[in-house]
Amino acid sequence: MPLPVPLSKPQLVRVALVAALTFVALGAAAQAATPMALNFTVLRNGEVIGSHTLKFRNDAKRLEVTVDTAVVVKVAIIPVYRFESHDTEVWQNGHLTALSSKTNDDGTHHH
C-alpha cells in the first residue's frame, strides 16, 4: 500500500470553496426550506479520512451556517497530517454579512 500524501492547503481550500459555492448556488432554496444539517464524508483513495458538516439555523431575517471540517491522514495508525476548521457564516437577504473562522492546519493556527 502506498504511503498517504497529506492533502495540500490548496486542495483543502478547494474542498471548502466547493462547499461554499454549493451553498451560494442553493442560496434561495436554502433560505426557503433550510435543512438542519448536511454531512459529508471526506475520502482519500476510497478511505474515510474525515468529515465536513454544514449546520443551518434560519429565522425570518437571517441564516446562520456553521461549517466544521475535520481531516486526519494516517500512516498505519499514526496521524501524519491533521486539518480542523470551524467557520460561522451569517447571511441576510442573500448577502454574507459576517464570517468567523478558526483553522488548525497541521499545527498552524489561522483565525
Side-chain angles (χ1 to χ4, degrees):
M1 180 168 126
L3 293 177
V5 177
L7 298 173
S8 68
K9 188 172 183 179
Q11 290 170 319
L12 290 171
V13 168
R14 277 193 294 267
V15 168
L17 183 59
V18 167
L21 290 176
T22 299
F23 173 75
V24 170
L26 299 173
Q31 288 184 354
T34 304
M36 295 295 283
L38 294 173
N39 299 298
F40 300 92
T41 301
V42 179
L43 303 173
R44 182 176 181 280
N45 296 329
E47 293 190 32
V48 175
I49 62 167
S51 63
H52 184 74
T53 302
L54 292 89
K55 294 180 184 174
F56 302 88
R57 192 172 75 203
N58 194 11
D59 63 31
K61 296 184 179 183
R62 66 185 224 146
L63 172 66
E64 183 175 296
V65 183
T66 303
V67 182
D68 289 298
T69 304
V71 172
V72 177
V73 177
K74 297 179 181 179
V75 174
I77 62 169
I78 301 169
V80 295
Y81 179 78
R82 182 177 309 271
F83 179 88
E84 299 165 331
S85 181
H86 176 80
D87 310 307
T88 302
E89 304 172 2
V90 177
W91 294 81
Q92 294 178 311
N93 298 319
H95 299 281
L96 180 65
T97 59
L99 173 67
S100 67
S101 177
K102 292 182 181 180
T103 301
N104 175 1
D105 185 2
D106 206 28
T108 302
H109 296 272
H110 305 277
H111 297 276

